[in-house]
Amino acid sequence: MDASLIINNFLSPPILFFFLGMLAIFVHSDLDIPQPLAKFFSLYLLMSIGYRGGAELAHSGMTWEVATAMGAAMLMSVIVPIYTFFILTRQLKMVVHDAAAIAATYGSVSAVTFVTATAFLQKLEIPFGGHMVAALALMESPAIIIGVLLYRLFTARNPNKDTLADQNPANGELSWSELMRDAVFNASVFLILGSLVIGLISGGGPGEKALEPFLKDLFRGVLCFFLLDMGLVAARRLKDLRKAGASLAAFAILIPLINAILATAVAKMIGMSLGDALLFVMLCASASYIAVPAAVRLSIPDANPSLYVPMSLAITFPFNIIVGLPLYLSTLKLFWS
Amino acid sequence: MDASLIINNFLSPPILFFFLGMLAIFVHSDLDIPQPLAKFFSLYLLMSIGYRGGAELAHSGMTWEVATAMGAAMLMSVIVPIYTFFILTRQLKMVVHDAAAIAATYGSVSAVTFVTATAFLQKLEIPFGGHMVAALALMESPAIIIGVLLYRLFTARNPNKDTLADQNPANGELSWSELMRDAVFNASVFLILGSLVIGLISGGGPGEKALEPFLKDLFRGVLCFFLLDMGLVAARRLKDLRKAGASLAAFAILIPLINAILATAVAKMIGMSLGDALLFVMLCASASYIAVPAAVRLSIPDANPSLYVPMSLAITFPFNIIVGLPLYLSTLKLFWS
Amino acid sequence: MDASLIINNFLSPPILFFFLGMLAIFVHSDLDIPQPLAKFFSLYLLMSIGYRGGAELAHSGMTWEVATAMGAAMLMSVIVPIYTFFILTRQLKMVVHDAAAIAATYGSVSAVTFVTATAFLQKLEIPFGGHMVAALALMESPAIIIGVLLYRLFTARNPNKDTLADQNPANGELSWSELMRDAVFNASVFLILGSLVIGLISGGGPGEKALEPFLKDLFRGVLCFFLLDMGLVAARRLKDLRKAGASLAAFAILIPLINAILATAVAKMIGMSLGDALLFVMLCASASYIAVPAAVRLSIPDANPSLYVPMSLAITFPFNIIVGLPLYLSTLKLFWS
Amino acid sequence: MQPVKRIEIILDFQDLAKIVKILNSLGISGYTVIRDVTGSGDRGLRPGDELTDVFKNSYIMTACPEEKMQEIVEAIRPLLKRFGGICLVSDAQWVIH
Amino acid sequence: MQPVKRIEIILDFQDLAKIVKILNSLGISGYTVIRDVTGSGDRGLRPGDELTDVFKNSYIMTACPEEKMQEIVEAIRPLLKRFGGICLVSDAQWVIH
Amino acid sequence: MQPVKRIEIILDFQDLAKIVKILNSLGISGYTVIRDVTGSGDRGLRPGDELTDVFKNSYIMTACPEEKMQEIVEAIRPLLKRFGGICLVSDAQWVIH
Ligand SMILES: Nc1ncnc2c1ncn2[C@@H]1O[C@H](COP(=O)(O)O)[C@@H](O)[C@H]1O
Ligand SMILES: Nc1ncnc2c1ncn2[C@@H]1O[C@H](COP(=O)(O)O)[C@@H](O)[C@H]1O
Ligand SMILES: Nc1ncnc2c1ncn2[C@@H]1O[C@H](COP(=O)(O)O)[C@@H](O)[C@H]1O
Ligand code: NA
Ligand code: NA
Ligand code: NA
C-alpha cells in the first residue's frame, strides 16, 4: 500500500475543504452555502466533465477500448444491484422495499465522486479517456430500473391496490414513463450526456479553446467550494445513521470495497489503462444520492429515504473520496505496473 | 449565401447549449437553473460587455465613426416602432395597446442577442468597436417611449378614467417619472452604461488587466451556461404562441429580416466596418424581452404580455442567434468585400 | 499627501463599481443583486484571502515578524473597544448598551475592507505578508467579547430578570457558549481561518497552482461585483443615519482616523513592512458589520442595530475604502521611506 | 368583501405540477405558489439542503368560492394519500376590486 | 390572546414598494414579506422564471386590529384594481407577549 | 375534515432552530418552514439584504389539534418576549387523507 498516496490525498485542498464543511457542523458554526449556489456548482461540474469528456472523445474517436469500457460499465450496473439486493434481503433480513432502494443506490453511481477522482488523477498526471464520462452517464440509470424491477418482483401484490387503482392517474399503478423520465432524463444524466455530445460536436474547434477558462481552469476551485458544501450536508446527515444501525453502516463501507475488487478484475480483464481503471473502480464503488432518490420516490414509494440517503451521502461518499481513492489507486498500481 | 457559416454557428457551443435547454423541456427533464444564478449571469454579461466596450472606447477615442453610429442607432430606434405599429394596426388589425407594446418590443433591443453576436465575431476574429456597446445602451429606451406615445395618441380617452383619477396617485394618470425610470434606469441599461463609463475611466490602466480573467476569459463559458437557461425559458414560452396565431409568428420572423435589411443599408451608407455593421444589424433585428415588459406593464397596462413576450423570447431571439447571425453576416460580406 | 494616490484609488474599478451601486439607489434604478450571489461572493473573498494567506505563510514560515504582528493585532483589538466605549458613554452621553455595541463594532474588523486593501496593494505592487490574514481572523472576536463584558459590567442588574430566569433556557441568562460560537465560530472567522489552515497545509504543492485560476485570477473581478452590491446596500442604509445624528456620524469618521494613527505608531514600533503596516492600519480603522451584529443580537439584546449598522456600513466602510486607503498609505510612506 | 375558502396545500416540490394540473382541470386559474419550502411531517424531516430537489416542499394556496372547495379537496385527497403532504382549509374574505 | 385581522396581499413584485408605502402612511409598522412568489390569476400565469422581475409576485401579510382593517383594505383596493393582485382577510388570534 | 389550529410564527432567522427544538420537545413533528422572509415590526425594518443573516426572518407554520395549541403557545411565548417576533393562531380544517 502506498501510504504517501493516502496522505497526499488527505491533504489535498478539495478533501480538506470537505473536512472543513463537516467541522463547521460539529462546532455549530453558522457557515452555510446558499442552496442555489450549491446547485449551480453541481451543474457546473457536470457540464465541465461532460464537455471535456466529449471533446476528448472527439480527438480519440470511437475505438474498441471505448466499446469494451461501455460494455463493462453496463455489466457492473446490472450485477451490483442484483447481488446487493440478495445480501440485503437474505443476510440482513431487510424488507423488500428498503433492500431494493439500497440496491439501486449502490448499483448506480455518484458523479461528484467521479469528478473528485478526475481531479485526483489530473494532479498525479495520470491520463484517462473522455469515454469514461460516457460510462458515468451510462451507469446512472440501469441500476435504478433493476431496483424497481426487483421491488415489483418480490413484493406481494397489495390487496388494497385495486380499490385505489381507479380512473385517477394519481392513484394508479407505477407510471413507467415517469420512471424512465426520472431515471434517464433526470437533470444530472441529461446535462452530462448533453454536454458530452456538445463536446463531441464542437471539440477541437476554436469553441473548445474559448471555453477553457470557464470549463477547465475553474474546475479545481469550484470543486473545493462544492466539497465544502458536501461536507456541511454530509455532517448534517450523520445523525440519521443511528436509525440505520451498525450492519448497514458496515454495508456502506464493505460493498464499495467488494465492488472495487470486482471492478478491478473486470478492468484488468478488458485491459483498461490505469487512469480509466481507477475511474471505473470509483464508479462501481460509488453510490448515488441524486438520481436514485428522485426515481425511487415514486417507484418504490415505501422505501425509507432516511436509510439510503445517509448511507451513501454520509458514509460511502466520504469513505470513497478520502480513503477509497488512494487505496484503490495503490491497489491498481500493483497489478498495472 | 455562406452555408458553412450557418453550420458553423449552428454547431458552436453557445447555440448547442441553447438547443440543449429547449430539449430538456421537450423531454420533460427536471433540469432547472436556479433563478438567482440566471439573473447573475445576465448581470455578468452586461457588466462584461459594458466594461470591455468602455475600455476599448478609451483606446480608440471619440471619433466621427462613433458619432455616426450613435446617430444611426437613434434613427433606427425611432423608425422601427413607428412603422411596425402601423403594420400591426392597419395590416394585422391589431388593437392599439397590443400593437404599441409589440412595436416597442421590436424597436428596442436584446442585450443577450448582442452579446451572442460579439462572441460570434470574436470566434471569427472580425474586429468591432467598443462604441457599439454604447449603441446598444442607447437603443433600449427610445422605442419604449415612442410605443407609449403611440398608445396614448391612438387610444380614445377612457370615459371611466375620471372617476378613477382621484387624489390617490395609485389611480392617477401615467406617471412619466416612473416611465422614465423604467425605460432609462432599468437594471440592464443602467448596468451596461455604468460599466461602460467605468471601462472608459479605468481602461488602459492596470485595473483593466486585473479584471480580464473575470470579465473577459469567463465570458464564453458563462454565455453557454446562460443560453442553456434561455433555452429552458424559451421552450416553456413556446406553447403561449398558440394564442398569438400564425400572423404574429410570421411577424416575429419577417420584421427582424426587414429591420436587418434597413440596418444593412444604413450601415453601408455611413461606412461602418464589417464587425460594427453586423452588431448594428443584430441590434435592429433583435427584440427586447427585459426592458420592454418592465416599462410597458405600467405605461400600457392593457397590453397582453402573453403576446409580446413569447414572440420576442421564443421566436425572434432563437431565430436571430441561430439563423439570423450567419445569415446577416454572409449578406453583409457580399456588400463589404 | 500624495494626491495622485487618492485619485488613482478613486478611479479604480472596484471603487467605481461601489459608486455605481450607490448611484443605482439614488436614481431609483431596479438594479438588484440576488442575495444568494452576494453571500457567495463574500464567502469566495474570504476563502480566497484565507487560502492565499495560508499558502504564503507556508512559504515564509513562522517568524518573529509574524509573532509581533499577532501581538499587535491582539493589543489593538483590546484597546479600541475600551477607549471608544468611554468616549461614547462619557463624551457622547450614550446609554451603555448602545455604547457597548458600537465599541465592539469599531474594535472588531471588516474583512471586505481588508480585501479591498489587498487588491489596492497588489495594484501598486507593494508586497505584504500572508500572516496579515491571520491577524484579520484574530481581530474579529476579542472586541466583541470585550464589548459584552463592558455591557455587563456597566449595566445595573435588571430587576425583572429574576422573574424571567426560570427553568426555560430561552428566558435565562446570557449563554456564554452561544456568545463564543457567534464570536469565534461565525461563518466569516471560521471560513477565513479554515482556508488559512488549508492554505498552510497544501500551499506550495501542486494543489496551490490548480486553484490559482479560481482563487486568485478571479479575485479582482469578483471584488468589483461584490462592491457593486455593497454600494447598493450602503446607500439603502444611508437614510437610517438620520436617527444616529451628527455626533455619531462624526464618530464614524474620527475614530477610524484615530485608530489609524495608533496603528501607524504600533506598526512603526514593531518594524512592520510598508504593505503589512497598511493592512494593519486598515484593520484597526475598519468597523465590523457582519460578525458584530450576529453576536450582539443575543449578548447585548437591547442595543439598537439601526445605530451601529449604518455607522459602520454606510459611513466608515465607504470612508475607509475611498478616502482612507490612499490617505493611510501616503501617511505611512512619509514614515517608511 | 366576499366569503371564500382558502385552501393551502403543502407537498413535495416534485408533485407541484400535478396539483397545478388538477386545479387547471377543475377550472381554477387563481393560485399562488411558494416553490421552496422546507418542513417536517409523517415522512420525516425535509431539510431542502441537498442537490436533489426530492427532499423539499412546495406550498400552494388558492382562494375559491365555497362550492368549489369540496370539489378541489376531493380531487387532491388521493394525491396526498399516495405522495404525502397536507391540505388545510380555512375561511377568508376576498376583497373585491 | 387578542383577536386580530390577518390581511394577505399577493401582487406584482414591482408593486411591493407601493403597498409598503401605503401601510407606512397608515401607521402600520408590522408586516411580513415573501419576496419571490409565483402564481396564476386573471392576468395569466406568472412563472417567475424570466430575467425580468416583471412576471413574478410578492406576498405581504399584516396582522392588525379589526378597526384598522377596513382602512387598509380601502387604501389598497384601488391599487389592486389598477395593477392586479388579490387581498384576503381572515380572523386570527395574536399571542400577546 | 377535522378542525385544527393553525399556528404561524414569524421570528428571527437565527431563532428558527430554537422554535424547532421546542416543537420537537412537545412531540410536534409536523411543521412547515419558509426560511427567507423579510418584514418590519417593533424592532424596525428587517430588509434581508445584508451579508449577515441577522436582519431577516423565518416563518414557521404548524397545524395541530386544539388541545396542543395552548401548550405550544405557552412554550413559545417567552422566546418571543426575549427575541421578538410574532405568533398568530387561526382556525382551519385539516383534510384527512
Ligand atoms: N401538522 C403540520 N403542520 C404544518 N405543516 C405540515 C404538517 N404536517 C406536514 N406538514 C408539511 O407537509 C410536508 C409533508 O408532510 P408528510 O407527507 O406528512 O411528510 C412536511 O414536510 C411539512 O412541510
Ligand atoms: N384565487 C386566487 N387564489 C390565490 N392566489 C391568487 C388567486 N387569484 C390570483 N392570485 C394571485 O395573485 C396574482 C395576481 O393575480 P391577477 O392580478 O388576478 O393576475 C396571481 O399571479 C396569483 O399569485
Ligand atoms: N403586525 C404584524 N403583522 C405581520 N408580521 C409582523 C407583524 N409584526 C411583526 N411582524 C413580523 O415579525 C418580525 C419581527 O417582529 P418584531 O419582533 O416586532 O420586530 C417582523 O420583522 C415581521 O416580519
Ligand atoms: Na456503484
Ligand atoms: Na430592434
Ligand atoms: Na477596527
Side-chain angles (χ1 to χ4, degrees):
Chain A
M1 189 79 53
D2 195 343
S4 80
L5 214 54
I6 296 186
I7 291 168
N8 208 298
N9 180 55
F10 202 86
L11 299 183
S12 72
I15 302 301
L16 289 171
F17 276 105
F18 182 80
F19 285 129
L20 190 64
M22 296 194 95
L23 186 64
I25 298 297
F26 298 148
V27 302
H28 299 280
S29 168
D30 63 344
L31 181 63
D32 187 39
I33 313 284
Q35 217 242 338
L37 261 302
K39 238 185 128 175
F40 161 63
F41 287 136
S42 80
L43 295 179
Y44 166 85
L45 292 173
L46 296 172
M47 189 173 170
S48 167
I49 204 85
Y51 183 84
R52 286 154 63 200
E56 226 175 283
L57 213 51
H59 298 309
S60 71
M62 271 297 194
T63 59
W64 179 243
E65 206 185 340
V66 175
T68 51
M70 297 298 125
M74 212 60 181
L75 182 77
M76 285 298 288
S77 63
V78 169
I79 291 175
V80 172
I82 296 178
Y83 96 80
T84 48
F85 177 77
F86 288 107
I87 290 183
L88 288 160
T89 49
R90 303 280 151 88
Q91 254 65 45
L92 300 178
K93 308 288 173 217
M94 180 154 264
V95 286
V96 168
H97 47 78
D98 284 332
I102 297 176
T105 300
Y106 282 83
S108 184
V109 294
S110 149
V112 184
T113 308
F114 180 87
V115 151
T116 310
T118 63
F120 180 70
L121 287 177
Q122 274 156 9
K123 210 181 65 179
L124 298 177
E125 297 181 356
I126 299 175
F128 57 90
H131 60 282
M132 293 312 293
V133 176
L136 157 63
L138 203 66
M139 288 179 82
E140 289 218 45
S141 323
I144 297 172
I145 294 163
I146 288 172
V148 174
L149 288 175
L150 288 167
Y151 163 69
R152 299 180 72 77
L153 217 69
F154 287 86
T155 309
R157 295 277 97 195
N158 185 342
N160 294 329
K161 243 190 192 138
D162 295 55
T163 44
L164 280 174
D166 58 27
Q167 292 307 80
N168 192 325
N171 302 331
E173 283 289 290
L174 169 78
S175 152
W176 279 99
S177 74
E178 271 191 314
L179 171 60
M180 280 306 172
R181 202 185 61 204
D182 285 343
V184 183
F185 292 135
N186 77 68
S188 87
V189 178
F190 184 85
L191 188 55
I192 271 208
L193 271 186
S195 304
L196 186 114
V197 171
I198 292 177
L200 254 174
I201 293 173
S202 69
E208 190 185 343
K209 193 97 206 126
L211 289 177
E212 260 188 18
F214 183 72
L215 285 185
K216 194 170 157 207
D217 297 349
L218 298 189
F219 185 77
R220 190 73 69 90
V222 171
L223 182 61
C224 286
F225 216 96
F226 184 69
L227 288 182
L228 178 67
D229 182 63
M230 291 292 295
L232 292 167
V233 177
R236 283 190 207 118
R237 293 299 163 278
L238 265 180
K239 64 174 175 299
D240 287 346
L241 282 174
R242 257 171 283 154
K243 278 179 232 157
S247 60
L248 281 184
F251 178 97
I253 287 182
L254 289 178
I255 293 298
L257 288 175
I258 297 174
N259 288 345
I261 294 168
L262 286 177
T264 304
V266 170
K268 186 74 200 170
M269 250 160 55
I270 63 172
M272 276 184 174
S273 78
L274 179 63
D276 291 2
L278 180 74
L279 292 181
F280 183 61
V281 166
M282 285 308 285
L283 284 174
C284 297
S286 75
S288 165
Y289 44 76
I290 300 185
V292 165
V296 156
R297 190 184 75 95
L298 290 184
S299 317
I300 316 181
D302 28 8
N304 184 355
S306 67
L307 290 181
Y308 62 85
V309 172
M311 279 170 71
S312 64
L313 191 56
I315 303 185
T316 305
F317 172 67
F319 174 76
N320 272 328
I321 63 166
I322 298 167
V323 182
L325 203 42
L327 181 68
Y328 306 153
L329 183 63
S330 54
T331 313
L332 283 172
K333 275 184 165 169
L334 295 180
F335 298 99
W336 258 253
S337 59
Chain B
M1 188 81 51
D2 196 344
S4 79
L5 214 55
I6 296 186
I7 291 168
N8 208 298
N9 180 54
F10 202 86
L11 299 182
S12 73
I15 303 300
L16 290 171
F17 275 106
F18 182 80
F19 285 129
L20 190 64
M22 296 195 96
L23 186 65
I25 297 297
F26 298 149
V27 302
H28 298 281
S29 168
D30 63 342
L31 181 63
D32 186 40
I33 313 283
Q35 217 242 340
L37 261 302
K39 238 184 129 176
F40 161 63
F41 286 135
S42 79
L43 296 179
Y44 166 85
L45 292 174
L46 296 172
M47 189 173 169
S48 167
I49 204 83
Y51 183 85
R52 285 154 62 199
E56 226 174 282
L57 214 51
H59 297 310
S60 70
M62 271 298 194
T63 60
W64 179 243
E65 206 186 340
V66 174
T68 52
M70 298 297 125
M74 213 59 181
L75 182 78
M76 285 298 286
S77 64
V78 169
I79 291 175
V80 173
I82 296 178
Y83 96 81
T84 49
F85 177 78
F86 288 106
I87 289 183
L88 288 160
T89 50
R90 304 280 151 89
Q91 255 64 45
L92 300 177
K93 308 289 174 217
M94 181 155 264
V95 287
V96 167
H97 47 77
D98 283 333
I102 297 176
T105 301
Y106 282 83
S108 183
V109 295
S110 149
V112 184
T113 308
F114 180 87
V115 152
T116 312
T118 62
F120 180 70
L121 287 177
Q122 274 157 8
K123 209 181 66 179
L124 298 176
E125 297 180 355
I126 299 175
F128 57 89
H131 59 282
M132 292 313 291
V133 176
L136 157 63
L138 204 64
M139 287 178 81
E140 290 219 46
S141 323
I144 297 173
I145 293 162
I146 289 172
V148 173
L149 288 175
L150 288 169
Y151 163 69
R152 298 180 73 79
L153 218 67
F154 288 85
T155 308
R157 296 276 97 197
N158 185 341
N160 294 330
K161 235 175 200 151
D162 295 54
T163 43
L164 280 173
D166 58 25
Q167 293 306 82
N168 192 325
N171 302 332
E173 283 290 290
L174 170 79
S175 153
W176 278 101
S177 73
E178 269 190 315
L179 171 60
M180 280 305 171
R181 202 185 61 205
D182 285 342
V184 184
F185 291 135
N186 78 70
S188 87
V189 178
F190 184 85
L191 188 55
I192 271 208
L193 271 185
S195 304
L196 186 115
V197 171
I198 292 177
L200 255 174
I201 294 173
S202 69
E208 190 186 343
K209 194 96 205 125
L211 289 177
E212 260 187 19
F214 183 72
L215 285 184
K216 195 171 156 209
D217 298 348
L218 298 189
F219 185 76
R220 190 73 68 89
V222 171
L223 182 61
C224 286
F225 216 97
F226 184 70
L227 287 183
L228 177 66
D229 182 63
M230 291 292 296
L232 292 167
V233 176
R236 283 190 208 119
R237 293 298 162 280
L238 266 180
K239 64 174 177 299
D240 287 346
L241 283 174
R242 258 170 284 155
K243 277 177 232 156
S247 60
L248 281 184
F251 179 98
I253 287 183
L254 288 177
I255 293 300
L257 288 175
I258 297 175
N259 288 345
I261 294 168
L262 287 177
T264 303
V266 170
K268 187 74 199 170
M269 249 161 55
I270 63 172
M272 277 184 174
S273 78
L274 180 63
D276 292 1
L278 180 76
L279 292 180
F280 183 61
V281 167
M282 285 307 285
L283 284 174
C284 296
S286 75
S288 166
Y289 44 76
I290 300 185
V292 165
V296 157
R297 190 183 76 97
L298 290 183
S299 317
I300 316 181
D302 29 9
N304 183 355
S306 67
L307 291 180
Y308 61 85
V309 172
M311 279 172 70
S312 65
L313 192 55
I315 304 186
T316 305
F317 172 67
F319 174 77
N320 272 328
I321 62 166
I322 298 167
V323 183
L325 203 42
L327 181 68
Y328 305 153
L329 182 62
S330 54
T331 312
L332 283 171
K333 276 184 165 170
L334 294 181
F335 298 99
W336 258 254
S337 59
Chain C
M1 190 81 50
D2 195 344
S4 80
L5 214 55
I6 296 187
I7 291 168
N8 207 298
N9 180 55
F10 202 86
L11 299 182
S12 72
I15 302 301
L16 289 171
F17 276 106
F18 182 80
F19 284 129
L20 190 63
M22 294 194 97
L23 186 65
I25 297 297
F26 298 149
V27 301
H28 299 282
S29 168
D30 62 343
L31 181 64
D32 187 39
I33 313 283
Q35 216 241 340
L37 261 302
K39 237 184 129 177
F40 162 63
F41 287 136
S42 80
L43 296 179
Y44 166 86
L45 293 174
L46 296 172
M47 189 172 167
S48 167
I49 204 83
Y51 183 85
R52 286 154 63 200
E56 224 174 283
L57 213 52
H59 297 309
S60 70
M62 271 298 195
T63 59
W64 180 243
E65 206 186 340
V66 175
T68 52
M70 297 297 125
M74 211 60 181
L75 181 77
M76 285 299 287
S77 63
V78 169
I79 291 175
V80 172
I82 295 178
Y83 95 80
T84 48
F85 177 78
F86 287 107
I87 290 182
L88 288 160
T89 50
R90 304 280 151 89
Q91 254 65 44
L92 301 177
K93 307 288 174 217
M94 181 155 265
V95 286
V96 167
H97 46 79
D98 284 333
I102 297 176
T105 300
Y106 282 83
S108 183
V109 294
S110 150
V112 184
T113 308
F114 180 87
V115 151
T116 310
T118 63
F120 180 70
L121 287 176
Q122 274 157 9
K123 209 180 65 176
L124 298 177
E125 297 181 356
I126 300 175
F128 56 90
H131 59 282
M132 292 313 291
V133 176
L136 156 63
L138 203 66
M139 286 178 82
E140 289 220 46
S141 322
I144 297 172
I145 293 162
I146 289 172
V148 175
L149 287 175
L150 288 168
Y151 163 69
R152 299 180 73 77
L153 218 68
F154 287 85
T155 309
R157 296 277 95 198
N158 184 341
N160 294 330
K161 239 180 197 146
D162 295 54
T163 43
L164 280 173
D166 57 25
Q167 292 307 81
N168 192 325
N171 302 331
E173 283 290 292
L174 169 78
S175 153
W176 278 99
S177 73
E178 272 190 313
L179 171 60
M180 280 306 173
R181 203 185 61 204
D182 285 343
V184 183
F185 292 134
N186 77 69
S188 88
V189 178
F190 184 85
L191 187 56
I192 271 208
L193 270 186
S195 304
L196 186 114
V197 171
I198 293 177
L200 254 174
I201 294 174
S202 69
E208 189 186 344
K209 194 97 205 127
L211 289 177
E212 260 187 19
F214 183 72
L215 285 184
K216 194 171 157 206
D217 297 348
L218 299 189
F219 185 76
R220 190 73 69 91
V222 171
L223 182 61
C224 287
F225 216 97
F226 184 70
L227 287 183
L228 178 66
D229 182 63
M230 292 292 295
L232 291 167
V233 177
R236 284 191 207 118
R237 292 297 162 281
L238 265 181
K239 65 174 176 300
D240 287 347
L241 283 174
R242 256 170 285 154
K243 277 178 233 157
S247 60
L248 281 185
F251 179 98
I253 288 183
L254 289 177
I255 292 299
L257 288 175
I258 297 174
N259 288 345
I261 294 168
L262 287 178
T264 304
V266 171
K268 186 74 199 170
M269 248 160 57
I270 62 173
M272 276 184 174
S273 77
L274 179 63
D276 292 1
L278 180 75
L279 292 181
F280 183 61
V281 167
M282 285 308 284
L283 284 175
C284 296
S286 75
S288 166
Y289 43 77
I290 300 185
V292 165
V296 157
R297 190 183 74 96
L298 290 183
S299 317
I300 315 181
D302 27 9
N304 184 355
S306 67
L307 291 181
Y308 61 85
V309 172
M311 280 171 70
S312 63
L313 192 55
I315 304 185
T316 305
F317 172 68
F319 174 77
N320 273 326
I321 63 166
I322 298 167
V323 182
L325 203 43
L327 180 69
Y328 306 152
L329 183 63
S330 54
T331 313
L332 284 171
K333 275 184 164 169
L334 295 181
F335 298 99
W336 257 254
S337 57
Chain D
M1 294 202 293
Q2 175 186 311
V4 289
K5 289 288 181 183
R6 199 176 160 279
I7 308 180
E8 294 173 289
I9 304 152
I10 297 155
L11 81 177
D12 286 17
F13 178 82
Q14 297 188 310
D15 294 330
L16 179 59
K18 296 195 184 84
I19 291 284
V20 168
K21 221 174 189 174
I22 289 179
L23 291 180
N24 285 341
S25 74
L26 296 176
I28 304 290
S29 68
Y31 55 84
T32 294
V33 172
I34 308 174
R35 280 167 60 99
D36 288 321
V37 161
T38 60
S40 167
D42 295 343
R43 292 171 301 144
L45 198 68
R46 300 180 62 78
D49 63 352
E50 278 167 43
L51 296 175
T52 160
D53 288 328
V54 177
F55 302 109
K56 70 185 188 196
N57 301 324
S58 281
Y59 170 103
I60 315 184
M61 187 271 283
T62 179
C64 65
E66 289 221 51
E67 54 277 13
K68 267 280 178 196
M69 182 268 282
Q70 207 57 43
E71 209 180 318
I72 296 176
V73 165
E74 287 319 316
I76 280 166
R77 187 176 276 151
L79 237 159
L80 298 178
K81 202 175 232 136
R82 195 161 127 87
F83 300 115
I86 69 164
C87 175
L88 299 176
V89 180
S90 54
D91 292 310
Q93 300 287 321
W94 174 294
V95 174
I96 300 164
H97 60 261
Chain E
M1 294 202 292
Q2 175 186 312
V4 289
K5 289 289 181 184
R6 199 176 161 279
I7 307 180
E8 293 173 288
I9 304 152
I10 297 155
L11 81 176
D12 287 17
F13 178 82
Q14 297 188 310
D15 295 330
L16 179 58
K18 295 193 186 83
I19 292 283
V20 169
K21 221 175 189 173
I22 290 179
L23 291 181
N24 286 341
S25 75
L26 296 175
I28 304 290
S29 67
Y31 54 87
T32 294
V33 172
I34 308 175
R35 279 167 60 99
D36 289 321
V37 160
T38 60
S40 169
D42 295 344
R43 292 171 300 144
L45 199 67
R46 300 179 61 79
D49 62 353
E50 277 166 44
L51 295 175
T52 159
D53 288 328
V54 176
F55 303 109
K56 69 185 189 195
N57 301 325
S58 281
Y59 170 104
I60 315 185
M61 188 270 285
T62 179
C64 66
E66 290 222 50
E67 55 277 14
K68 266 281 178 195
M69 183 267 283
Q70 207 57 43
E71 209 179 319
I72 296 175
V73 165
E74 286 320 315
I76 281 167
R77 187 176 276 151
L79 237 159
L80 298 178
K81 202 174 233 137
R82 193 162 127 87
F83 300 114
I86 69 164
C87 176
L88 299 177
V89 179
S90 53
D91 292 309
Q93 301 286 321
W94 174 297
V95 175
I96 300 162
H97 61 259
Chain F
M1 293 202 294
Q2 176 186 312
V4 289
K5 288 290 182 184
R6 198 175 162 280
I7 307 180
E8 293 174 289
I9 304 152
I10 297 155
L11 81 178
D12 287 17
F13 178 82
Q14 297 189 308
D15 295 330
L16 179 59
K18 295 193 185 83
I19 292 285
V20 169
K21 221 175 191 172
I22 289 179
L23 291 181
N24 286 340
S25 75
L26 296 175
I28 305 290
S29 68
Y31 54 84
T32 294
V33 173
I34 307 175
R35 278 168 60 99
D36 289 321
V37 161
T38 61
S40 167
D42 295 344
R43 291 171 302 145
L45 199 68
R46 299 180 62 78
D49 62 353
E50 278 167 43
L51 295 175
T52 159
D53 288 328
V54 176
F55 303 109
K56 70 186 188 195
N57 301 325
S58 282
Y59 170 104
I60 315 184
M61 188 270 284
T62 179
C64 64
E66 290 221 49
E67 55 277 14
K68 267 282 179 194
M69 184 267 283
Q70 207 56 43
E71 210 180 317
I72 296 176
V73 165
E74 286 320 315
I76 280 167
R77 186 176 277 150
L79 235 159
L80 298 178
K81 201 173 233 137
R82 194 159 127 87
F83 300 114
I86 69 162
C87 175
L88 299 177
V89 179
S90 54
D91 292 309
Q93 300 286 321
W94 174 296
V95 175
I96 300 163
H97 60 261

